[in-house]
Amino acid sequence: MMSGARKKVLVVEDNELNMRLFCDLLDAFGYDTLQCRDGARAVELAREHKPALIVMDIQLPDVSGLDITRWIKDDETIASIPVLAVTAFAMRADEKLVREAGCEAYLSKPIQMRSFRSTVDSLISDRQAA
């Protein structure tokens, strides 16, 4: 039985343990992953690979994940790619900032596997339906 090609998810995360966790989970859910530890490269990778979803760490060392999301949303060739923000410092004000930057969804770390999976699956299926 042949299914369609596995969808790609770009993971932008500077923490090695979090990167491994996200990639292992996404792989288990049936997605291929692209890893990016350098926020500035994330936009290039998104343009090059057109992933089905971007998992974006908000606290990156060189540039905020929110800024990277804004750059992605300002580029009409990749603006439709959904962005799932993940952050360790979850406060009520953060969700507003995350939404204003253009992220479609938001999860706080440590992530819960079930909510991570349902969020990833729904963002990717919403995009297919669009």
CSV table of all heavy atoms in Angstrom, one decimal, residues 21-60:
chain,number,residue,atom,x,y,z
A,21,LEU,N,13.8,15.6,20.8
A,21,LEU,CA,12.5,15.3,21.2
A,21,LEU,C,11.5,15.6,20.1
A,21,LEU,O,10.7,14.7,19.7
A,21,LEU,CB,12.1,16.0,22.5
A,21,LEU,CG,10.6,15.9,22.9
A,21,LEU,CD1,10.3,14.5,23.4
A,21,LEU,CD2,10.3,16.9,24.0
A,22,PHE,N,11.5,16.8,19.6
A,22,PHE,CA,10.6,17.2,18.5
A,22,PHE,C,10.8,16.3,17.3
A,22,PHE,O,9.8,15.8,16.8
A,22,PHE,CB,10.8,18.6,18.1
A,22,PHE,CG,10.4,19.6,19.2
A,22,PHE,CD1,11.1,20.8,19.4
A,22,PHE,CD2,9.3,19.4,19.9
A,22,PHE,CE1,10.8,21.7,20.3
A,22,PHE,CE2,8.9,20.4,20.9
A,22,PHE,CZ,9.7,21.5,21.1
A,23,CYS,N,12.0,16.0,16.9
A,23,CYS,CA,12.2,15.2,15.7
A,23,CYS,C,11.8,13.8,15.9
A,23,CYS,O,11.2,13.2,15.0
A,23,CYS,CB,13.7,15.4,15.3
A,23,CYS,SG,14.1,17.0,14.7
A,24,ASP,N,12.1,13.2,17.1
A,24,ASP,CA,11.7,11.8,17.4
A,24,ASP,C,10.2,11.7,17.4
A,24,ASP,O,9.6,10.8,16.8
A,24,ASP,CB,12.2,11.4,18.7
A,24,ASP,CG,13.7,11.1,18.7
A,24,ASP,OD1,14.3,11.1,17.6
A,24,ASP,OD2,14.3,10.9,19.8
A,25,LEU,N,9.5,12.7,18.0
A,25,LEU,CA,8.0,12.6,18.0
A,25,LEU,C,7.5,12.8,16.6
A,25,LEU,O,6.6,12.0,16.2
A,25,LEU,CB,7.5,13.7,18.9
A,25,LEU,CG,7.6,13.5,20.4
A,25,LEU,CD1,7.2,14.8,21.1
A,25,LEU,CD2,6.8,12.3,20.9
A,26,LEU,N,8.0,13.8,15.9
A,26,LEU,CA,7.5,14.0,14.5
A,26,LEU,C,7.7,12.8,13.6
A,26,LEU,O,6.8,12.4,12.8
A,26,LEU,CB,8.1,15.3,13.9
A,26,LEU,CG,7.6,16.6,14.5
A,26,LEU,CD1,8.6,17.7,14.2
A,26,LEU,CD2,6.2,16.9,14.1
A,27,ASP,N,8.9,12.2,13.8
A,27,ASP,CA,9.2,11.0,13.0
A,27,ASP,C,8.2,9.9,13.3
A,27,ASP,O,7.6,9.2,12.5
A,27,ASP,CB,10.6,10.5,13.3
A,27,ASP,CG,11.0,9.4,12.4
A,27,ASP,OD1,11.0,9.5,11.2
A,27,ASP,OD2,11.4,8.3,13.0
A,28,ALA,N,7.9,9.7,14.6
A,28,ALA,CA,6.9,8.7,15.1
A,28,ALA,C,5.5,9.0,14.5
A,28,ALA,O,4.8,8.0,14.3
A,28,ALA,CB,6.9,8.6,16.6
A,29,PHE,N,5.2,10.3,14.4
A,29,PHE,CA,3.9,10.6,13.9
A,29,PHE,C,3.8,10.5,12.3
A,29,PHE,O,2.8,10.7,11.7
A,29,PHE,CB,3.5,12.1,14.2
A,29,PHE,CG,3.5,12.4,15.7
A,29,PHE,CD1,3.7,13.8,16.0
A,29,PHE,CD2,3.4,11.5,16.7
A,29,PHE,CE1,3.7,14.1,17.4
A,29,PHE,CE2,3.4,11.8,18.0
A,29,PHE,CZ,3.5,13.2,18.4
A,30,GLY,N,5.0,10.2,11.7
A,30,GLY,CA,5.0,10.0,10.2
A,30,GLY,C,5.4,11.2,9.4
A,30,GLY,O,5.1,11.3,8.2
A,31,TYR,N,6.1,12.1,10.0
A,31,TYR,CA,6.6,13.3,9.3
A,31,TYR,C,8.2,13.2,9.2
A,31,TYR,O,8.8,12.6,10.0
A,31,TYR,CB,6.3,14.6,10.0
A,31,TYR,CG,4.8,14.8,10.2
A,31,TYR,CD1,4.2,14.6,11.4
A,31,TYR,CD2,4.0,15.1,9.1
A,31,TYR,CE1,2.8,14.8,11.6
A,31,TYR,CE2,2.6,15.3,9.2
A,31,TYR,CZ,2.1,15.1,10.5
A,31,TYR,OH,0.7,15.3,10.6
A,32,ASP,N,8.7,13.8,8.1
A,32,ASP,CA,10.1,14.0,7.9
A,32,ASP,C,10.5,15.3,8.5
A,32,ASP,O,9.7,16.2,8.5
A,32,ASP,CB,10.5,14.0,6.4
A,32,ASP,CG,10.5,12.6,5.9
A,32,ASP,OD1,10.7,11.6,6.6
A,32,ASP,OD2,10.4,12.4,4.6
A,33,THR,N,11.7,15.4,9.1
A,33,THR,CA,12.0,16.6,9.8
A,33,THR,C,13.3,17.2,9.1
A,33,THR,O,14.1,16.5,8.7
A,33,THR,CB,12.3,16.4,11.3
A,33,THR,OG1,13.3,15.4,11.4
A,33,THR,CG2,11.1,16.0,12.0
A,34,LEU,N,13.3,18.6,9.1
A,34,LEU,CA,14.5,19.3,8.8
A,34,LEU,C,14.9,20.1,10.1
A,34,LEU,O,14.0,20.6,10.7
A,34,LEU,CB,14.1,20.4,7.7
A,34,LEU,CG,13.8,19.9,6.3
A,34,LEU,CD1,13.0,21.0,5.6
A,34,LEU,CD2,15.1,19.7,5.6
A,35,GLN,N,16.1,20.0,10.4
A,35,GLN,CA,16.6,20.7,11.6
A,35,GLN,C,17.3,22.0,11.3
A,35,GLN,O,18.1,22.0,10.4
A,35,GLN,CB,17.5,19.7,12.4
A,35,GLN,CG,16.8,18.4,12.7
A,35,GLN,CD,17.7,17.5,13.6
A,35,GLN,OE1,18.8,18.0,14.1
A,35,GLN,NE2,17.3,16.3,13.8
A,36,CYS,N,17.0,23.0,12.1
A,36,CYS,CA,17.7,24.3,12.0
A,36,CYS,C,17.9,24.8,13.4
A,36,CYS,O,17.0,25.0,14.2
A,36,CYS,CB,16.8,25.2,11.2
A,36,CYS,SG,17.5,26.9,11.0
A,37,ARG,N,19.2,25.0,13.7
A,37,ARG,CA,19.5,25.6,15.0
A,37,ARG,C,19.8,27.1,15.0
A,37,ARG,O,20.0,27.7,16.0
A,37,ARG,CB,20.8,24.8,15.6
A,37,ARG,CG,20.4,23.4,16.0
A,37,ARG,CD,21.7,22.6,16.2
A,37,ARG,NE,21.2,21.2,16.6
A,37,ARG,CZ,20.8,20.3,15.7
A,37,ARG,NH1,20.7,20.6,14.5
A,37,ARG,NH2,20.4,19.1,16.1
A,38,ASP,N,19.9,27.6,13.8
A,38,ASP,CA,20.3,29.0,13.6
A,38,ASP,C,19.1,29.7,13.0
A,38,ASP,O,18.7,29.5,11.8
A,38,ASP,CB,21.5,29.0,12.6
A,38,ASP,CG,21.7,30.4,12.0
A,38,ASP,OD1,21.2,31.4,12.6
A,38,ASP,OD2,22.5,30.5,11.0
A,39,GLY,N,18.5,30.6,13.8
A,39,GLY,CA,17.2,31.2,13.4
A,39,GLY,C,17.3,31.9,12.0
A,39,GLY,O,16.4,31.9,11.2
A,40,ALA,N,18.5,32.6,11.7
A,40,ALA,CA,18.6,33.3,10.5
A,40,ALA,C,18.5,32.4,9.3
A,40,ALA,O,18.1,32.8,8.2
A,40,ALA,CB,20.0,34.0,10.5
A,41,ARG,N,18.9,31.1,9.4
A,41,ARG,CA,18.8,30.2,8.3
A,41,ARG,C,17.4,29.6,8.1
A,41,ARG,O,17.1,29.0,7.1
A,41,ARG,CB,19.8,29.0,8.5
A,41,ARG,CG,20.8,29.0,7.5
A,41,ARG,CD,21.8,27.9,7.5
A,41,ARG,NE,21.4,26.6,7.0
A,41,ARG,CZ,21.0,26.4,5.7
A,41,ARG,NH1,20.9,27.4,4.9
A,41,ARG,NH2,20.7,25.2,5.3
A,42,ALA,N,16.5,29.8,9.1
A,42,ALA,CA,15.2,29.2,9.0
A,42,ALA,C,14.4,29.7,7.8
A,42,ALA,O,13.7,28.9,7.2
A,42,ALA,CB,14.4,29.5,10.3
A,43,VAL,N,14.5,31.0,7.5
A,43,VAL,CA,13.7,31.5,6.4
A,43,VAL,C,14.2,30.9,5.1
A,43,VAL,O,13.4,30.5,4.2
A,43,VAL,CB,13.8,33.0,6.3
A,43,VAL,CG1,13.0,33.6,5.1
A,43,VAL,CG2,13.3,33.6,7.6
A,44,GLU,N,15.6,30.8,4.9
A,44,GLU,CA,16.1,30.1,3.7
A,44,GLU,C,15.7,28.7,3.6
A,44,GLU,O,15.3,28.3,2.5
A,44,GLU,CB,17.7,30.1,3.8
A,44,GLU,CG,18.4,31.3,3.6
A,44,GLU,CD,19.9,31.1,4.0
A,44,GLU,OE1,20.5,30.1,3.6
A,44,GLU,OE2,20.4,32.0,4.8
A,45,LEU,N,15.7,28.0,4.7
A,45,LEU,CA,15.3,26.6,4.6
A,45,LEU,C,13.8,26.4,4.3
A,45,LEU,O,13.4,25.6,3.5
A,45,LEU,CB,15.5,25.9,6.0
A,45,LEU,CG,17.0,25.5,6.2
A,45,LEU,CD1,17.2,25.1,7.7
A,45,LEU,CD2,17.5,24.4,5.3
A,46,ALA,N,13.0,27.3,4.8
A,46,ALA,CA,11.6,27.3,4.5
A,46,ALA,C,11.3,27.6,3.0
A,46,ALA,O,10.5,26.9,2.4
A,46,ALA,CB,10.8,28.4,5.3
A,47,ARG,N,12.1,28.6,2.4
A,47,ARG,CA,11.9,28.9,1.0
A,47,ARG,C,12.4,27.7,0.2
A,47,ARG,O,11.8,27.3,-0.8
A,47,ARG,CB,12.8,30.1,0.6
A,47,ARG,CG,12.3,31.4,1.1
A,47,ARG,CD,13.0,32.5,0.4
A,47,ARG,NE,12.6,33.8,1.1
A,47,ARG,CZ,13.5,34.5,1.8
A,47,ARG,NH1,14.7,34.2,2.0
A,47,ARG,NH2,13.0,35.6,2.4
A,48,GLU,N,13.5,27.0,0.6
A,48,GLU,CA,14.1,26.0,-0.2
A,48,GLU,C,13.2,24.7,-0.1
A,48,GLU,O,13.0,24.0,-1.2
A,48,GLU,CB,15.4,25.7,0.4
A,48,GLU,CG,16.3,24.7,-0.4
A,48,GLU,CD,17.6,24.4,0.3
A,48,GLU,OE1,18.1,25.3,1.0
A,48,GLU,OE2,18.1,23.3,0.1
A,49,HIS,N,12.7,24.3,1.0
A,49,HIS,CA,12.0,23.0,1.2
A,49,HIS,C,10.5,23.1,1.2
A,49,HIS,O,9.8,22.1,1.1
A,49,HIS,CB,12.5,22.3,2.5
A,49,HIS,CG,13.9,22.0,2.4
A,49,HIS,ND1,14.4,20.8,1.8
A,49,HIS,CD2,15.1,22.6,2.9
A,49,HIS,CE1,15.7,20.8,1.8
A,49,HIS,NE2,16.1,21.8,2.5
A,50,LYS,N,9.9,24.3,1.5
A,50,LYS,CA,8.5,24.5,1.6
A,50,LYS,C,7.8,23.4,2.5
A,50,LYS,O,7.0,22.6,2.0
A,50,LYS,CB,7.8,24.4,0.2
A,50,LYS,CG,8.3,25.4,-0.8
A,50,LYS,CD,7.8,26.8,-0.7
A,50,LYS,CE,8.0,27.7,-1.8
A,50,LYS,NZ,9.4,28.1,-2.1
A,51,PRO,N,8.2,23.4,3.8
A,51,PRO,CA,7.7,22.4,4.7
A,51,PRO,C,6.2,22.6,4.9
A,51,PRO,O,5.7,23.6,4.6
A,51,PRO,CB,8.5,22.6,6.0
A,51,PRO,CG,8.9,24.1,5.9
A,51,PRO,CD,9.1,24.4,4.5
A,52,ALA,N,5.5,21.5,5.4
A,52,ALA,CA,4.1,21.5,5.7
A,52,ALA,C,3.8,22.3,6.9
A,52,ALA,O,2.7,22.8,7.2
A,52,ALA,CB,3.6,20.1,5.8
A,53,LEU,N,4.9,22.4,7.8
A,53,LEU,CA,4.7,23.1,9.1
A,53,LEU,C,6.1,23.5,9.6
A,53,LEU,O,7.1,22.9,9.2
A,53,LEU,CB,4.1,22.1,10.1
A,53,LEU,CG,4.0,22.5,11.6
A,53,LEU,CD1,3.0,23.7,11.7
A,53,LEU,CD2,3.7,21.4,12.5
A,54,ILE,N,6.1,24.6,10.3
A,54,ILE,CA,7.4,25.0,11.0
A,54,ILE,C,7.1,25.0,12.5
A,54,ILE,O,6.2,25.6,13.0
A,54,ILE,CB,7.8,26.4,10.6
A,54,ILE,CG1,8.1,26.4,9.0
A,54,ILE,CG2,9.1,26.9,11.3
A,54,ILE,CD1,8.3,27.8,8.4
A,55,VAL,N,8.0,24.3,13.3
A,55,VAL,CA,7.9,24.3,14.7
A,55,VAL,C,9.0,25.3,15.1
A,55,VAL,O,10.2,25.1,14.9
A,55,VAL,CB,8.2,22.9,15.3
A,55,VAL,CG1,8.2,23.0,16.8
A,55,VAL,CG2,7.1,21.9,14.9
A,56,MET,N,8.6,26.4,15.8
A,56,MET,CA,9.5,27.5,16.0
A,56,MET,C,9.7,27.7,17.5
A,56,MET,O,8.8,28.1,18.2
A,56,MET,CB,8.9,28.8,15.4
A,56,MET,CG,9.7,30.0,15.6
A,56,MET,SD,11.2,30.1,14.6
A,56,MET,CE,10.4,30.2,12.9
A,57,ASP,N,11.0,27.6,18.0
A,57,ASP,CA,11.3,27.9,19.3
A,57,ASP,C,11.3,29.5,19.4
A,57,ASP,O,11.8,30.1,18.5
A,57,ASP,CB,12.7,27.4,19.7
A,57,ASP,CG,13.1,27.7,21.1
A,57,ASP,OD1,12.2,28.0,21.9
A,57,ASP,OD2,14.3,27.6,21.4
A,58,ILE,N,10.7,30.0,20.4
A,58,ILE,CA,10.6,31.5,20.5
A,58,ILE,C,11.9,32.1,21.0
A,58,ILE,O,12.4,33.1,20.6
A,58,ILE,CB,9.4,31.9,21.4
A,58,ILE,CG1,8.1,31.5,20.7
A,58,ILE,CG2,9.4,33.4,21.6
A,58,ILE,CD1,7.9,31.9,19.3
A,59,GLN,N,12.6,31.4,22.0
A,59,GLN,CA,13.8,31.9,22.6
A,59,GLN,C,15.0,31.3,21.9
A,59,GLN,O,15.5,30.2,22.3
A,59,GLN,CB,13.9,31.5,24.1
A,59,GLN,CG,13.0,32.3,25.0
A,59,GLN,CD,11.6,31.8,25.1
A,59,GLN,OE1,11.4,30.6,25.0
A,59,GLN,NE2,10.7,32.6,25.4
A,60,LEU,N,15.5,32.0,20.8
A,60,LEU,CA,16.7,31.6,20.1
A,60,LEU,C,17.8,32.5,20.5
A,60,LEU,O,17.5,33.7,20.8
A,60,LEU,CB,16.4,31.6,18.6
A,60,LEU,CG,15.4,30.5,18.1
A,60,LEU,CD1,15.0,30.8,16.7
A,60,LEU,CD2,16.0,29.1,18.2
